[in-house]
Amino acid sequence: LSLDDALPICRQRVPQRCPSGHPMSGLIGYAETLRIALVGGASAGKTTYLAAAMLEFERDAEQKRLAVNVVQESSSAYAEVVGALKQGRLPEKTQVSGNPALVTEVQGEKRSRVLYAYDVAGESYESSDEARNLRFLEVPSGLVLLVDPLAIRRVAEEHESELNKMRDAVLPSQEDPGRVLERTVAALIEGGATPQDIPIAVAIAKTDAFGIDGEIEKLRSE
């Protein structure tokens, strides 16, 4: 084994940590890194969305479209989050403290990427000061804004009677998605990022509640 071949192997065996002390994958520097932040208020459904996305990766891996390797630092969190969804249970609420990133190596036909999915407690987006402390917002590769339609006042008012009966089942977020996005953009700017250069996807959660999926389809056809 030559020195050039040995150095990457040795480097990947050395524990790596970010400035905040969170474990980092030894693949850094050898595979493209994607830092994706899930943005949404408390109870918007971020952890469930992340678990569903990981299950889609698993299905693609079963069909040989790609390979998925959860790094050791994230194996416990991955098993807990994805395992709950497989058993038909909602994942536990994300705690305010703790390691916010779920790290997975995704291998395609031509290259590998290290996916850092940041799922922090929705309370972190409740104020500008809290959002400002999310250090990963300084260098994100992209954002996923998870919108709980029941957190939008007009939608909540339209479904008020249904919400009164099933509030504990649907757990509507109390944070307006627009305000969450505003605070996130402000934190990005303060961190030195240019929001216009960051790809953002908008995902709508809880569409199976109260026929909201049908309402969305109707709007799309108009």
Side-chain angles (χ1 to χ4, degrees):
L1 186 67
S2 68
L3 180 60
D4 289 339
D5 292 333
L7 283 176
I9 296 174
C10 293
R11 178 176 174 180
Q12 291 184 31
R13 291 178 177 174
V14 176
Q16 300 184 49
R17 295 181 179 275
C18 74
S20 299
H22 298 129
M24 301 176 70
S25 171
L27 293 168
I28 291 177
Y30 299 94
E32 182 182 358
T33 298
L34 297 177
R35 298 179 177 87
I36 306 298
L38 300 181
V39 177
S43 298
K46 297 186 299 300
T47 304
T48 301
Y49 177 88
L50 176 59
M54 292 297 105
L55 282 177
E56 287 298 318
F57 275 142
E58 287 190 2
R59 293 191 183 100
D60 285 342
E62 290 172 357
Q63 297 176 14
K64 310 299 182 183
R65 295 176 181 173
L66 48 78
V68 178
N69 176 37
V70 180
V71 302
Q72 183 177 358
E73 297 88 349
S74 292
S75 58
S76 296
Y78 182 93
E80 180 179 344
V81 170
V82 177
L85 200 60
K86 286 181 177 179
Q87 296 171 17
R89 296 184 291 106
L90 292 178
E92 294 293 331
K93 174 176 170 52
T94 304
Q95 300 302 308
V96 175
S97 60
N99 187 354
L102 185 64
V103 188
T104 307
E105 180 191 10
V106 181
Q107 299 175 329
E109 292 183 0
K110 298 182 179 180
R111 59 179 173 175
S112 295
R113 292 177 175 173
V114 181
L115 172 63
Y116 279 74
Y118 290 90
D119 171 27
V120 300
E123 287 82 357
S124 300
Y125 298 101
E126 287 182 353
S127 70
S128 297
D129 289 339
E130 291 292 338
R132 191 178 295 116
N133 292 327
L134 300 177
R135 307 304 299 175
F136 58 82
L137 288 179
E138 296 178 0
V139 286
S141 304
L143 303 177
V144 175
L145 175 64
L146 197 64
V147 175
D148 179 354
L150 298 171
I152 301 172
R153 179 180 296 179
R154 181 177 62 82
V155 178
E157 290 175 349
E158 291 176 353
H159 295 280
E160 183 177 5
S161 61
E162 296 159 299
L163 270 175
N164 289 337
K165 297 176 183 177
M166 301 186 64
R167 186 173 300 274
D168 290 342
V170 296
L171 295 174
S173 176
Q174 300 303 306
E175 286 296 318
D176 182 89
R179 294 293 295 156
V180 170
L181 182 59
E182 289 175 4
R183 294 168 190 146
T184 301
V185 170
L188 289 169
I189 294 173
E190 288 193 23
T194 304
Q196 297 91 328
D197 296 336
I198 300 173
I200 180 170
V202 178
I204 303 178
K206 306 179 185 179
T207 58
D208 56 341
F210 313 145
I212 291 176
D213 50 357
E215 296 174 14
I216 294 174
E217 287 301 318
K218 184 179 179 180
L219 289 172
R220 292 178 61 180
S221 63
E222 292 180 352

